[in-house]
Amino acid sequence: MIINVTHRQDKVSPAVREKIESWLEHAQERFDMITSAQVTLSKHDHLDEVEAILHAGGKEITAKAEGQNLYAALDAVSQKIDRQLDKMHGKMVHKKGLPKKEAFLVEPESAVPDEEIELEGYEDIDELLEKVS
């Protein structure tokens, strides 16, 4: 996974970079579909702002949050991204309807049991099909 962390007004401290990388590694372990991440930090009107863009499963996931300090904003963004990843993972895992293998195993109520069909004595498949239907 490629992680790119930038700060618009200042340099990124090692502690902040470590927090971001540990959060993204934990998310990668849980969902295993993140290919790259871009995290941008900035400061506006005494509020810290964090914007995260993740590429996962062929889609782009974006979240933005503000907080009184940088760590609060990082926690808010990580929660937003984790919810989106969880929803995306749920859609990929749980599909509606029966899988194709199981669809053929379900017998309709009007099906004739195998014991009632005798295959011997029928030369033509058409005769057998008439007997069954």
Side-chain angles (χ1 to χ4, degrees), residues 3-133:
I3 300 172
N4 190 2
V5 181
T6 58
H7 197 297
R8 291 190 177 155
Q9 286 86 15
D10 201 8
K11 291 185 179 182
V12 180
S13 68
V16 172
R17 184 177 299 275
E18 178 67 31
K19 182 167 177 66
I20 292 170
E21 289 176 354
S22 68
W23 159 60
L24 289 171
E25 287 173 6
H26 178 68
Q28 175 69 18
E29 288 173 5
R30 283 183 59 206
F31 301 109
D32 194 38
M33 59 179 139
I34 302 171
T35 56
S36 66
Q38 168 66 41
V39 180
T40 305
L41 313 170
S42 61
K43 191 167 186 91
H44 295 287
D45 300 327
H46 303 291
L47 291 176
D48 288 309
E49 183 179 289
V50 178
E51 180 181 4
I53 301 170
L54 272 67
H55 296 279
K59 297 183 180 181
E60 189 173 277
I61 298 172
T62 305
K64 187 184 282 191
E66 292 180 344
Q68 293 296 327
N69 59 26
L70 189 58
Y71 291 102
L74 278 173
D75 289 339
V77 164
S78 67
Q79 290 175 358
K80 288 180 181 182
I81 291 287
D82 286 343
R83 273 183 287 182
Q84 291 181 29
L85 284 171
D86 190 33
K87 183 177 179 180
M88 181 185 210
H89 180 73
K91 284 183 177 182
M92 290 175 66
V93 171
H94 304 292
K95 299 288 183 183
K96 291 184 179 179
L98 290 174
K100 290 185 178 181
K101 289 189 274 183
E102 294 176 14
F104 292 112
L105 298 177
V106 177
E107 292 186 24
E109 294 176 12
S110 64
V112 178
D114 291 336
E115 300 89 36
E116 294 180 12
I117 301 174
E118 295 180 19
L119 298 177
E120 292 181 26
Y122 291 102
E123 306 265 335
D124 191 16
I125 190 74
D126 293 329
E127 288 180 48
L128 182 61
L129 289 175
E130 286 177 17
K131 169 115 172 130
V132 172
S133 54

